[in-house]
Amino acid sequence: MADEAFRQQVKNRRDYLRSSRGKILVWTAAEREEDVMRLLSEKTLDLAAVRLRMPDLALFRAGGFTVLPVIDRNGLEALARFLQGERGRAEIESDSGANLSASADSGRIVTAFVFHEPRTESVSVTGSRIETGSEAGSEAGADYAHLIGDIPKQYEPAELYVYREWLCFPFYFRAAEPAEKLDVGAAVRGKPKPKAVIADWFLGYGDGVILLPLLRKFIDREARLGHEVHLIAKEKLASFLGTFLQDCRIYRSPESPAVYEAVLRSSLYRKAVLLPVSVSSPPMWHISGLFGAALGFKRPYALPAPVSAFYPPLPAEQAEELAVLRAAGCKVVGIQFHTGDAKRSWPEVRAKEFIALCRERGLALVNLTPLPYAAEGCSDWSMLPVEELFAAIEGLDAVVGIDSVCGHMAGFLGVPHITLWGRSFPHLQFPFTADESHVSFRTLRANYSLVPQSADIADIPAELVFARLTDILEGRLSLGKELHTAEDTLKEQGIEWVSGR
């Protein structure tokens, strides 16, 4: 389901992207491969590699690519000058090497690096971090999808290349020449190949919170067996998980189904596990159950103790503010009402009605994530890095928010919280659509869910949310700290349906 949605997104954007980016094919012999990879990685994040017999240059040119050969040191220097704007397309394509055809050297295995014109923003690689200009990070996933969509259909993803131990690129091969697939992951003698865990591009921070205890358990188990674990995830999730899984090698990957296919086919790994995100028919699964089953576990599983050593501490400014509120005898409640998905975001008018009710009753509210409007009367902690939200939420009396990261953190920590559902239900994703999926993304524990029958989050009134919050704070509604099971959710334990306005 997620893969199909992604492909549709790529298709919808392709015309725009084709008109806004030039396309470049750089082909090189194996001895120059690392040099070219290093040079190109400094210029663009949008990079794929095609390992095959001598490229069909006419095929790529017909697709609008500028073709650049690198067969020796002079060719590498010429490529560098081209990327710096010192050589034009006409000049580079006048070289004899650029005009070679596949028939001229059909027996030679080369690697072709395929990417788009470098951006004007600076892009640099430092250690395990990517530093980009403002546009580079936001457009990287879409541009990469555009790039792989433009590779001639005669090629298919089949291998994985890992560069500088942090970023992976899928290799492509001619579909008609499977014998030419090369083993780029030669195992170290006497040491078993690592295992890979691939996090779907669909997963966000909240899903990462659910994943944490399972990944921790999986990594520890594999370490006892002598196996190294590599985690492959999109940039933001890889960075988040890397804060808590420092004994696991983590690779940033572009947001593309081609990466999954390349890893699963790759000879780099003893085994590759793709974490599933959807189930097309009953029975319903909790997402942690799907993750756990893929990793070889069954629920219930033990959660790591929520000790402060697990996550970064709350910064001094926020810690002092919280202490002042506590000294004044205030109940402190965290809120998250907005995310990138409008259908999961509570409308501004509802949010402001709820905030006003809380202020009238003397509750202290802390806004945990950015809002597109002013939340008057709320402390603003939305500038905190997502990793520091664990410590922020641990110190709160309750959390009220949408189906997103703060609720998942509250569930992880056992902090009572209310989830306002929109677009999906606790037991069913994308109801009333062709993408309907029988998976629960409900938080791990201590949750009370308000669910509009229409799946429209605007149907949840502020008065109802405030009433249930006061029930929790005053002890009339007790939320247990046991893990919510799929059966609990199907029995509607801790779930209240809302009929509408």
Side-chain angles (χ1 to χ4, degrees):
M1 178 195 68
D3 287 359
E4 289 301 319
F6 185 80
R7 291 189 183 101
Q8 185 61 44
Q9 178 187 8
V10 172
K11 181 179 178 182
N12 292 341
R13 289 181 56 82
R14 190 164 291 156
D15 288 343
Y16 163 74
L17 290 167
R18 279 180 174 158
S19 66
S20 62
R21 294 277 197 275
K23 296 176 289 185
I24 303 173
L25 167 70
V26 180
W27 60 265
T28 184
E31 57 267 23
R32 290 291 170 197
E33 181 179 293
E34 182 73 9
D35 294 333
V36 174
M37 177 70 86
R38 185 181 302 110
L39 179 61
L40 297 186
S41 70
E42 294 170 353
K43 301 297 181 183
T44 180
L45 297 180
D46 306 322
L47 180 65
V50 186
R51 182 168 282 167
L52 64 167
R53 292 186 182 275
M54 195 66 179
D56 187 342
L57 304 183
L59 193 64
F60 280 88
R61 282 205 184 92
F65 285 90
T66 300
V67 179
L68 306 109
V70 177
I71 52 180
D72 54 23
R73 173 60 62 179
N74 291 335
L76 186 66
E77 292 173 355
L79 173 61
R81 292 197 300 274
F82 176 84
L83 296 174
Q84 293 164 4
E86 297 174 7
R87 297 190 78 196
R89 172 174 176 167
E91 181 185 0
I92 200 82
E93 291 203 335
S94 68
D95 289 347
S96 59
N99 291 306
L100 290 175
S101 66
S103 60
D105 198 355
S106 60
R108 183 181 182 192
I109 297 295
V110 299
T111 301
F113 297 98
V114 185
F115 68 109
H116 291 279
E117 291 281 8
R119 297 186 180 86
T120 57
E121 294 85 351
S122 62
V123 180
S124 62
V125 178
T126 306
S128 62
R129 295 181 60 80
I130 300 176
E131 300 173 1
T132 67
S134 59
E135 180 189 359
S138 62
E139 292 292 328
D143 285 348
Y144 187 89
H146 169 213
L147 181 152
I148 62 173
D150 282 335
I151 291 177
K153 302 305 179 187
Q154 288 85 335
Y155 306 107
E156 63 173 359
E159 269 292 5
L160 183 76
Y161 184 85
V162 176
Y163 178 63
R164 289 192 181 179
E165 298 189 345
W166 62 273
L167 186 60
C168 59
F169 305 101
F171 271 123
Y172 286 69
F173 297 87
R174 284 183 186 273
E177 298 177 358
E180 298 304 329
K181 295 180 180 180
L182 304 180
D183 184 356
V184 299
V188 177
R189 186 168 298 176
K191 182 180 179 181
K193 290 182 179 181
K195 293 186 178 180
V197 177
I198 313 167
D200 195 287
W201 72 272
F202 177 82
L203 300 180
Y205 287 130
D207 309 302
V209 174
I210 290 177
L211 256 178
L212 269 174
L214 288 164
L215 286 174
R216 175 75 276 151
K217 190 172 182 179
F218 180 75
I219 292 166
D220 291 345
R221 184 188 71 185
E222 294 303 314
R224 290 193 297 270
L225 297 173
H227 299 150
E228 185 181 1
V229 174
H230 294 180
L231 175 65
I232 299 167
K234 62 185 179 183
E235 171 66 22
K236 75 171 188 178
L237 191 58
S239 178
F240 171 73
L241 294 173
T243 302
F244 308 104
L245 303 173
Q246 296 181 5
D247 53 351
C248 172
R249 185 172 295 181
I250 297 179
Y251 296 127
R252 279 76 169 159
S253 75
E255 299 176 22
S256 167
V259 173
Y260 315 154
E261 196 170 357
V263 176
L264 291 171
R265 296 187 187 191
S266 175
S267 58
L268 283 171
Y269 295 108
R270 175 187 182 94
K271 181 180 181 181
V273 177
L274 175 60
L275 298 174
V277 295
S278 65
V279 174
S280 59
S281 61
M284 187 268 284
W285 286 72
H286 190 279
I287 188 62
S288 67
L290 277 183
F291 292 160
L295 295 170
F297 301 122
K298 295 181 180 179
R299 292 187 76 181
Y301 52 81
L303 289 173
V307 295
S308 56
F310 172 78
Y311 40 77
L314 190 61
E317 180 182 347
Q318 284 72 37
E320 182 179 352
E321 183 178 5
L322 185 59
V324 170
L325 291 171
R326 289 283 182 224
C330 294
K331 294 286 188 180
V332 187
V333 177
I335 59 172
Q336 181 190 8
F337 294 145
H338 185 80
T339 187
D341 184 349
K343 292 184 178 180
R344 284 192 292 138
S345 299
W346 210 25
E348 178 181 353
V349 62
R350 293 276 190 263
K352 289 188 172 180
E353 289 170 355
F354 173 80
I355 291 170
L357 288 169
C358 290
R359 292 181 64 189
E360 290 172 8
R361 302 314 201 288
L363 295 179
L365 295 183
V366 175
N367 178 44
L368 297 169
T369 61
L371 283 169
Y373 48 84
E376 296 181 4
C378 298
S379 297
D380 185 14
W381 293 4
S382 64
M383 78 298 295
L384 292 178
V386 66
E387 295 83 3
E388 293 179 5
L389 290 177
F390 279 105
I393 290 170
E394 184 187 35
L396 303 178
D397 293 293
V399 172
V400 178
I402 58 176
D403 172 29
S404 193
V405 61
C406 293
H408 285 292
M409 286 184 172
F412 178 91
L413 296 165
V415 173
H417 60 289
I418 296 173
T419 302
L420 315 179
W421 289 83
R423 189 192 68 181
S424 293
F425 298 148
H427 67 290
L428 192 65
Q429 301 302 299
F430 315 112
F432 320 129
T433 74
D435 294 327
E436 190 171 273
S437 176
H438 297 259
V439 176
S440 172
F441 282 83
R442 193 179 182 190
T443 60
L444 288 170
R445 55 187 176 183
N447 174 253
Y448 192 82
S449 289
L450 292 172
V451 190
Q453 294 174 346
S454 63
D456 184 352
I457 195 170
D459 284 349
I460 304 177
E463 295 81 5
L464 176 61
V465 180
F466 178 77
R468 293 299 172 265
L469 174 61
T470 54
D471 288 341
I472 291 171
L473 294 176
E474 296 174 7
R476 293 187 296 272
L477 183 57
S478 178
L479 304 180
K481 295 190 177 182
E482 298 79 16
L483 287 175
H484 297 302
T485 65
E487 291 73 24
D488 294 339
T489 298
L490 287 173
K491 291 177 182 177
E492 301 186 358
Q493 294 180 12
I495 293 174
E496 180 176 347
W497 290 90
V498 180
S499 59
R501 298 177 177 82

